[in-house]
Amino acid sequence: MLLKVPDVLTPDELQQARHLLATAPWTDGRASAGSQAALVKNNAQLPHACDAARALRPMVLAALDRQLAFFSACLPKRVLAPQFNRYGGGSNHYGNHVDSAIRYQPDNGQKVRTDLSCTLFLSEPQSYDGGELVIQDTPEPQRFKLPAGHLLLYPADRVHQVTPVTRGERLACFFWVESMVRSGAQRQLLFDMDTALLQLRAEHGENAATVALTGTYHNLLRMWADT
Ligand code: NI
């Protein structure tokens, strides 16, 4: 599933993030790429242990907790520690690549299977040229350049790229989610059902049918979830 989640960060949080990132100790993004990805990667990333990354990670994780659609779509089991990147100047693109299937939590080495990829845009789209996230899809690739504070959620098994930033700079937060439900098709069914149930409740209130369908939702989750 490809899902846009709007307004994950508030304007105040965005301002704080950009303030911290303006003076952060950026390093070469190739250090964290797999061998295929390193050949096409040319951006800057924040070291995990720097002050800015330490301050911003909890802000992003708390913001995600406020997003019911994010939870419903991901059914997260583990969220890999959010990271931060910058595209601009001489380090301005990331060619077509796939993300590694297994990554490790920096603090404790715990393995995380990357089922879903997330990009949280931190720069306003009009402040830079290029820098589109392009995700291979059928029949055509899909291109994304979302407003600051909005998040894109997409399947981690897709070939994708960030096109060259030719003016300004593109700041983003990115991370991966391991879902309790491994199958993307099953996750999509659960998300569709949950979304429709929310709509039914909003229009008609709780009734015997919504209670029964909620039970079916949880029974499917019980059948498919690995906690
Ligand atoms: Ni990637």
Side-chain angles (χ1 to χ4, degrees), residues 94 97-99 117 154 160 176:
Y94 194 168
H97 67 283
V98 286
D99 296 338
S117 294
Y154 60 100
H160 58 280
W176 290 269

Side-chain angles (χ1 to χ4, degrees), residues 2 12 20 52-53 78 85 87 92 94 115 118-119 131 147 164 167-168 172 191 205:
L2 286 149
D12 280 354
L20 284 167
R78 297 183 182 121
N85 60 19
Y87 293 83
N92 60 25
Y94 194 168
D115 295 323
C118 301
T119 296
R167 175 187 64 89
F191 180 66

Side-chain angles (χ1 to χ4, degrees), residues 134-225:
V134 183
I135 300 168
Q136 292 299 318
D137 202 3
T138 308
E140 285 182 340
Q142 298 205 44
R143 310 174 80 88
F144 298 93
K145 186 168 174 176
L146 301 189
H150 293 211
L151 178 141
L152 184 76
L153 181 70
Y154 60 100
D157 58 3
R158 301 285 186 87
V159 172
H160 58 280
Q161 65 169 305
V162 175
T163 61
V165 170
T166 54
R167 175 187 64 89
E169 65 174 22
R170 173 197 192 269
L171 300 171
C173 171
F174 65 101
F175 54 92
W176 290 269
V177 179
E178 177 176 335
S179 177
M180 292 186 283
V181 176
R182 184 175 193 156
S183 155
Q186 290 172 342
R187 230 182 292 123
Q188 181 77 54
L189 281 173
L190 289 166
F191 180 66
D192 291 344
M193 191 170 180
D194 196 30
T195 305
L197 264 168
L198 278 176
Q199 201 176 334
L200 273 178
R201 271 197 213 97
E203 287 173 13
H204 306 288
E206 198 76 73
N207 56 45
T210 58
V211 172
L213 282 173
T214 302
T216 305
Y217 172 86
H218 282 283
N219 286 334
L220 287 171
L221 185 56
R222 195 172 281 115
M223 191 184 298
W224 293 335

